[in-house]
Structure formats: structure tokens, C-alpha cells
Amino acid sequence: MTGPVRPSARVQLAAIFRKEVQQTVRDRRIMFMLVVAPLIQTVVFGFAVDFEVDRVPTLVVDADRSATSREDARRLLADGTLLSVGEESSAEAASAALDAGRASAALVFERRAEADRLSGRGQEVQVLLDGTDPNRTTVTSGAVSRFFSELGERLARERIEASGQTPPAQLRPIPRVAFNPGLATAPYMVPGIAAMLLVIVTTFTSAMGLAREREMGTLEQVLVTPIRPVHLLVGKMAPFVVIGLVVVTLLVGVGTWLFAIPIRGNLGLLLVGTLLYLLTTLGAGLLISTVSANQQQAFLGGFLFTIPAVLLSGLMTPILAMPGWLRPLTLLNPIRWYAEIMRGVLLRGAGFADLWLQFVVLLVIGVAIVAAATLRFQRRLG
Amino acid sequence: MSAPGPGAPVIEARGLTRRFGAFTAVDAVSFEVERGEIFGYLGANGAGKSTTIRMLNGLLAPTSGTARVAGHDVAADPDSVKASIGYMSQKFSLYLDLPVMENLLFFGGAYGLSGKALRVRAGELLELTGLAGQDAAITGSLPGGMRQRLALAGAILHRPEVVFLDEPTAGVDPVARRAFWRLIRQLSSGGTTVFVTTHYLDEAEYCRRIGLMVDGRLVALDSPAGLKRTWVPDRVLVARGQGLAGAAAALAGRDGVRSVQPFGAGLHLRVDPARLDEAGVARILAAAGAREVAVDRAEPSLEDVFLAVVGREARGEAAT
């Protein structure tokens, strides 16, 4: 078979890479969206997303006005979880204040509180809670229960000791928290936020990029050249992989500096994981653009992919809390696997031996998505 | 398989057909294009010109029929076809946001050119297309005529055997059109085969041969002169002189006269050459009182051909 010599794929890839870099670097808005926006958002979200519940605005209704009720309220409000925002005269008034949003919790001491306690009949303290935010409600209620159960235990011991008997042995769990002893939210959330921002930014840029070429007519000019679809797609992805790796490095730097996120593992391993992750997110963008006729459709397609992918990744809510039929779906979600790699490498110092499964799964998903995009792309040539 | 010999056609279409659903855009088109030829493809919008080009350059698969371009079958070996051709689409399709030189470097790279050879070739083409010194200009800032020449430069970087130009001069001013056609003739004299669609009939005169498309069918194919002989058998005459306006009425209805129309200060006539010649016309006009009469033969235009062809097709359809 004679005929023209097949152009070298290396030369073609280099040409596509150069062209994409030129177009991206020249477009200041895209550069801002790719590099600066994720940095700013990581910082803002890093401060904003905090699961620790404290300073819950609390009202006190003290109908008893006794020494013990005053002392209980003072000590309960001193630990920081609850914050006193005033007093009300009755439980009804406190309930109205909760309805109006002036407080999220109220402690109601009945008129005979002290007398009931001293008589040994038992004392009840009513706690009104705003259940709008289940997490916050659970934590508030937990803080109140813990306070009163410890108080009850102390009263019981005092009574036993006063009667001259030896109180029973005390049982107390001593938790030792590994990796994140302060239970700070940021070291857990910031890697997740980085994974989320990366998927959004890279999926959209690749989806819109190819759709724009189709809309402008430049794609037709490229399709009459001997460039093969797979080379075109790989060449278009490559510059964004480089940008993505730089962005991840910057994000880890900012996280370490501002949020005291540890880097316990190998940063190189994290970058390899990032590379595989970007293969899946950029590939998804290309796949979206192959089913879109224009940039508008690609944009909507980007939303239809990224929002469910983020919500069903385990970043926001634990995967174990999802219904059983939904859980297997998360196995196909690249964000889930990448978040595990990030948290593993940064927080636990995990190595490849611990994370090989995550790497293999990301590679398989990435290759499958790019292959699907290539096939779909070829079909569209007519 | 060997490369086509010097005498073999460079483009060969056999019963080429493309349907989009129930609509037949191109209907069993067959033709051959010789090496180095400027082949014009004429037709109204929607006649199937662009669809034919897209089948020949591998963008669209034919529904039926075959085509060989530069010795390669377009359906079986589209990659070899793509490496042997250049293509300029109807819509300007270089990157508007990139500098001129970056566009050339990208498309050069797409065809496998690289390094110094590519830069030298790109510089050569900028020179040839009158764009020297514009290397760093942003493509989107160039005026229309320059863009078209840049698009041509991008299509011939790799010295293709065949160049397909789809309406290359649409929306470009007459001076720029003329400059563009000078380039096309230059290419053709260098041995490149040029396949060009246009709806400017004056441009079509530059083509060695012309194919005429009507509703997806190739209804005429010949040199411009041959088309005129076949489709406009009447002789076109131009009469000049004094007092023609008054004498014109004497021609109307005379045996052999097909039409008489005032044209500037003279008359434009179409006559049946078997029954009336220039001398006969001059005699009639002189007898009717015109003075200093001179009657000359004029070349029928491609517009006359086009109208004759489309008119026959329309009548043919009305009859069936």
C-alpha cells in the first residue's frame, strides 16, 4: 500500500497540545476559572464548612428560681455548646421564641425542681429543641443529656458516700482519636472540597471546549486532517491535566498553610492519583460534549453530571447512610475514589499498598470514559 | 497498489449518493477530475455541492456509490484521503482567538509537519498569500479577504494533491476575489488539482470544466465554452449605431430573431444562426433607418447557461 506517509502521532499530539495551551492561556477568564477560583473557593469553603456545633442560642425558663436551678443553668451554658441568649417566663413563651427563630433550644426548669431533687422523687428538666438541622439538634440534645447524666451520677455517689458505703466502680471510656485528634472539620473536608472543585472545573472546561469547536466550525476543519479522534481527545485533555496537577499542588499547599492539614503520605502518589482522577473528569466532559450539539447543551450536561456526582460521592453525606440500592452506584463515582486517595495520603499517610484498589478503579473508569467518548465521537462523523 | 499514473483521474466519483432520511441530497453523481485541473461545481444553495465535497473529503460516508480521491477509496481508506487533500470549508474555520502563525503551526502539525521545515513552509505561504508580516496578528482581527487567503494557506501547507474549496469567496469584495483566484490559478499551474464550488458565475469562467448541480443531480458537465455551445445555441449579437431605438421595432417578430433588448446605447439580440446572421441584422436595421450600424458577435455568459439548465429542469419536473 503506497500513499501518503501517515503523519507522526507525536507531532500531531504536540500540535494539539500547543494549540490548546495557547487558547487557554490567552483566555484570562478560563485561567481565572481554572486556577484562581478553586483556590479562593477552597479557602472560603474551608472556613465555612464546619460540622462542629457550638454556641447554640439557648433560652432559660427558670420557674423555680432556686440555687440548684440557677447553678445547673450556669454550668450547662458554660461548656460552649450552648450559648445563653436570655430568659423567658414560661415554656409557652420559649416555644414561641423558637418558632420566631430567636433561639434553637430552651431549658425549662419547673417550679418545684429543687424540692423534687432534694426529696429524691426525681427531677425533670424540659428541653425544647429546634429540629430543623438534625445534626445540630442531635449534638445539642447530647450535650444536655451528658450534663444531666453526669450530674445524676455525681449526686448518687455523694449519697452513697454519705451513707458510709463504697460507691460502685466508675466506668469511663477513654477515646484515643487517631489521625485527627482535635476532630477538626477542615482536615477532613478540605481534601473533599478540592476533589469537588476539580471535578466541576475540569468537566466544564473540557465539555465546553469541544462544544465550542463544533459550534464555531473549527472542528470540521480538524476532522478533515488525518488526526485520529483518540489523539485529538487525548491532546485536548493533556494541557488540562497539567493545569489540574498544578492546582492540586497549590490547594494542598493552601490547606497545609491555612487549615493545618497534614501531609503524612507521599505527595507524588497523590499526584498520580490526581492524574487518574483528571482522566475521568476530563473524559466525562468530552463524553458530554459528544452528545451535545452546542455549548448550551454541554453546559447543562455538565450540571447533570457534576451535581449528582458530588452529592453521591460521600463528600457531603456518608455513603453508609444512603439507601442500599443507591450505594453500589457510588462505586462508579470517581469523586468517591479520589476523595479516599486524598484523605488516605494526606491524613493517614497511606501508601500504594493501602490504596491500590482506588488507583485501579480510577484507571478503569477513566479508560472506559475516554474510550466511550472516542467511540461516540467517531460515530458523529457520519 | 500503485499511485495513480499521470493520466489517471485524481477524483473519480461513481454513482455517489447521499440521503438524509427521506431527502436525497446527492443523487447518483458520477464524474472524473484530471490532475492539475480547476474543476468548478455550480449550483444553487442546497443543490448538494457541499454534501458532495464532504463525501469526497471523508467527512460524510456515501449512502451508495464509490469515490476515489488521489488514488484512495473514500469509504475504505479515509485516512489516506485526508492526508492527500486540503479543504477550505464554506464557513471560515481557523481559530479566531489565535495569532495567524499559531493557526498555521497547528494545522501543519495536524498533517505531520514540524520544526524548522514547518516554520519555513508557513513563512513561504504567508508570503505567497500576501500575509507576510501578519504572523502575530490575531486571526479574528483580519479583514475577510485576508482570512480567506489564510484559510487557503492552512489548506495547502502539506502540499496536497487535491484542494477542495467550498464557496471560498463568499462575502469577499471583488478585489479580494480577484486576488484569491490568482492564487487558485497559481496552485493549479503548479500541478495541484482544485475542486471549487461557487455561485459567482463570473468566477466559474476561470474553471477548465464545470459541473452543474440541480436538486442533487449533476445535470451538465463540460468546459465553459462547451456548456455555452450546448445550452445556448442561439447567437448573441450586439448592435451599435445611431437611431437604433427607432429601428429596433423592425427586428421584433422577424424570422430567426429570438429576442431583442436595449443594452446601453445599443441592442442585445439573440438570433438563430441558421436563419439570420450579423449581416442580415445590419441590413434590417439600416432599412429601418438606423445609421453607422455595426453588429458584432458576443459570447453568451454562464448566466445564460445556468438559466437555460435550471429552466429545462423546472419544465421537466412540471411535465412529470
Side-chain angles (χ1 to χ4, degrees):
Chain A
M1 201 72 193
T2 58
V5 181
R6 165 157 305 290
S8 124
R10 194 190 54 77
V11 168
Q12 291 177 325
L13 282 170
I16 302 165
F17 183 83
R18 180 191 172 103
K19 180 221 115 194
E20 289 292 327
V21 169
Q22 288 270 346
Q23 283 188 303
T24 309
V25 172
R26 274 166 195 283
D27 191 334
R28 283 199 192 156
R29 278 172 306 173
I30 291 276
M31 282 309 279
F32 180 84
M33 202 179 119
L34 280 173
V35 182
V36 184
L39 276 178
I40 295 175
Q41 294 185 58
T42 302
V43 172
V44 173
F45 294 158
F47 283 118
V49 179
D50 193 337
F51 293 145
E52 278 176 74
V53 175
D54 56 5
R55 288 175 301 176
V56 176
T58 307
L59 288 169
V60 177
V61 179
D62 189 353
D64 199 32
R65 303 221 165 263
S66 62
T68 60
S69 63
R70 268 197 301 277
E71 177 67 5
D72 286 353
R74 189 188 63 76
R75 285 179 44 204
L76 178 50
L77 291 167
D79 94 326
T81 306
L82 306 184
L83 175 74
S84 170
V85 290
E87 295 204 5
E88 283 292 344
S89 51
S90 66
E92 289 70 31
S95 178
L98 254 64
D99 288 347
R102 281 187 279 123
S104 301
L107 298 169
V108 183
F109 294 92
E110 301 293 338
R111 188 185 292 281
R112 293 184 47 79
E114 187 178 50
D116 282 349
R117 184 190 297 181
L118 295 177
S119 71
R121 275 197 299 273
Q123 174 195 353
E124 285 182 348
V125 178
Q126 192 183 8
V127 186
L128 298 175
L129 292 166
D130 168 2
T132 312
D133 178 342
N135 177 43
R136 195 177 160 92
T137 311
T138 310
V139 173
T140 310
S141 144
V144 176
S145 312
R146 196 166 53 247
F147 173 79
F148 282 107
S149 66
E150 280 173 10
L151 180 64
E153 190 189 316
R154 209 187 69 226
L155 292 174
R157 295 177 71 83
E158 280 171 9
R159 181 167 286 205
I160 292 170
E161 274 167 8
S163 69
Q165 286 176 296
T166 315
Q170 232 175 334
L171 296 176
R172 189 180 293 164
I174 312 288
R176 190 183 71 86
V177 178
F179 309 126
N180 188 4
L183 291 181
T185 307
Y188 179 72
M189 280 314 288
V190 168
I193 291 167
M196 178 183 89
L197 292 173
L198 268 185
V199 70
I200 292 174
V201 164
T202 53
T203 302
F204 275 91
T205 36
S206 73
M208 303 282 281
L210 195 56
R212 185 179 60 173
E213 289 226 25
R214 177 168 288 123
E215 215 169 285
M216 298 292 287
T218 51
L219 190 61
E220 182 175 337
Q221 195 67 50
V222 174
L223 291 181
V224 292
T225 71
I227 290 178
R228 296 210 156 150
V230 63
H231 292 149
L232 177 65
L233 298 189
V234 169
K236 285 185 89 69
M237 281 165 51
F240 297 102
V241 169
V242 174
I243 293 172
L245 292 176
V246 170
V247 169
V248 166
T249 311
L250 287 173
L251 290 183
V252 170
V254 166
T256 312
W257 176 50
L258 277 182
F259 301 108
I261 291 166
I263 308 179
R264 297 214 172 87
N266 183 342
L267 210 54
L269 189 67
L270 178 64
L271 290 182
V272 173
T274 306
L275 190 116
L276 296 178
Y277 180 55
L278 291 170
L279 188 68
T280 67
T281 61
L282 291 166
L286 292 176
L287 187 58
I288 289 166
S289 74
T290 61
V291 297
S292 310
N294 51 45
Q295 293 188 75
Q296 242 175 339
Q297 290 180 7
F299 192 70
L300 284 172
F303 273 115
L304 285 178
F305 168 72
T306 52
I307 291 182
V310 167
L311 291 178
L312 299 180
S313 63
L315 287 183
M316 300 295 162
T317 54
I319 290 170
L320 284 173
M322 295 176 191
W325 57 268
L326 198 56
R327 260 177 262 157
L329 211 63
T330 66
L331 297 176
L332 295 172
N333 192 339
I335 308 177
R336 170 201 173 140
W337 302 101
Y338 182 58
E340 287 176 8
I341 291 177
M342 260 212 160
R343 286 169 178 161
V345 171
L346 292 176
L347 307 185
R348 298 204 314 270
F352 185 71
D354 309 300
L355 293 169
W356 65 270
L357 178 67
Q358 280 78 353
F359 279 84
V360 169
V361 173
L362 274 186
L363 180 67
V364 170
I365 297 177
V367 168
I369 290 182
V370 173
T374 308
L375 288 177
R376 179 69 219 167
F377 186 70
Q378 257 166 340
R379 280 228 322 260
R380 283 191 63 100
L381 309 189
Chain B
M1 198 193 85
S2 62
V10 176
I11 303 174
E12 220 183 321
R14 292 270 166 273
L16 207 53
T17 302
R18 173 73 200 200
R19 287 190 202 94
F20 297 101
F23 173 67
T24 305
V26 173
D27 189 0
V29 163
S30 299
F31 60 86
E32 291 180 354
V33 179
E34 307 293 325
R35 183 169 301 277
E37 188 173 13
I38 300 179
F39 186 90
Y41 213 51
L42 291 187
N45 288 331
K49 300 182 305 246
S50 295
T51 306
T52 308
I53 284 199
R54 287 175 175 193
M55 284 192 279
L56 293 176
N57 67 19
L59 278 179
L60 268 181
T63 308
S64 64
T66 58
R68 298 181 74 79
V69 173
H72 311 285
D73 189 291
V74 294
D77 191 8
D79 283 348
S80 294
V81 170
K82 287 177 181 178
S84 331
I85 61 162
Y87 169 59
M88 217 179 124
S89 78
Q90 201 164 2
K91 190 175 165 194
F92 181 79
S93 50
L94 300 189
Y95 296 95
L96 295 175
D97 52 344
L98 287 183
V100 166
M101 186 50 107
E102 288 298 332
N103 264 307
L104 294 182
L105 294 182
F106 170 66
F107 283 102
Y111 287 104
L113 305 176
S114 62
K116 192 152 179 275
L118 172 56
R119 287 187 176 272
V120 168
R121 175 73 178 147
E124 227 172 77
L125 283 172
L126 288 180
E127 194 76 43
L128 177 76
T129 52
L131 294 169
Q134 301 284 347
D135 314 34
I138 296 295
T139 305
S141 71
L142 296 181
M146 281 196 182
R147 286 191 197 180
Q148 301 304 96
R149 299 205 298 277
L150 177 62
L152 181 67
I156 60 177
L157 274 165
H158 57 300
R159 303 177 198 276
E161 284 181 62
V162 188
V163 187
F164 292 95
L165 308 173
D166 195 359
E167 305 264 358
T169 54
V172 170
D173 71 77
V175 177
R177 272 170 60 196
R178 194 156 288 222
F180 192 87
W181 273 91
R182 239 191 329 268
L183 283 171
I184 294 180
R185 287 202 301 277
Q186 226 169 315
L187 262 180
S188 144
S189 61
T192 306
T193 308
V194 180
F195 186 106
V196 57
T197 74
T198 180
H199 57 235
Y200 291 117
L201 294 160
D202 57 330
E203 287 184 355
E205 299 275 1
Y206 295 122
C207 301
R208 197 172 79 83
R209 286 193 307 148
I210 294 168
L212 250 163
M213 290 282 283
V214 178
D215 296 332
R217 280 172 309 115
L218 183 65
V219 294
L221 173 62
D222 204 343
S223 63
L227 284 175
K228 290 168 190 167
R229 269 196 307 274
T230 314
W231 290 91
V232 192
D234 300 340
R235 189 169 288 176
V236 178
L237 301 176
V238 176
R240 291 187 184 78
Q242 304 283 319
L244 287 177
L251 279 171
R254 280 297 263 275
D255 189 37
V257 175
R258 291 267 163 76
S259 74
V260 184
Q261 277 170 342
F263 182 78
L267 293 174
H268 224 145
L269 302 116
R270 279 170 62 180
V271 299
D272 180 352
R275 288 185 278 180
L276 191 63
D277 62 2
E278 293 92 304
V281 170
R283 270 196 307 277
I284 295 167
L285 286 172
R291 285 160 288 116
E292 298 168 45
V293 176
V295 179
D296 295 301
R297 217 182 278 192
E299 187 61 13
S301 69
L302 279 172
E303 202 168 317
D304 298 321
V305 173
F306 190 77
L307 291 173
V309 171
V310 173
R312 189 200 69 170
E313 290 299 317
R315 280 195 304 280
E317 280 189 5
T320 51

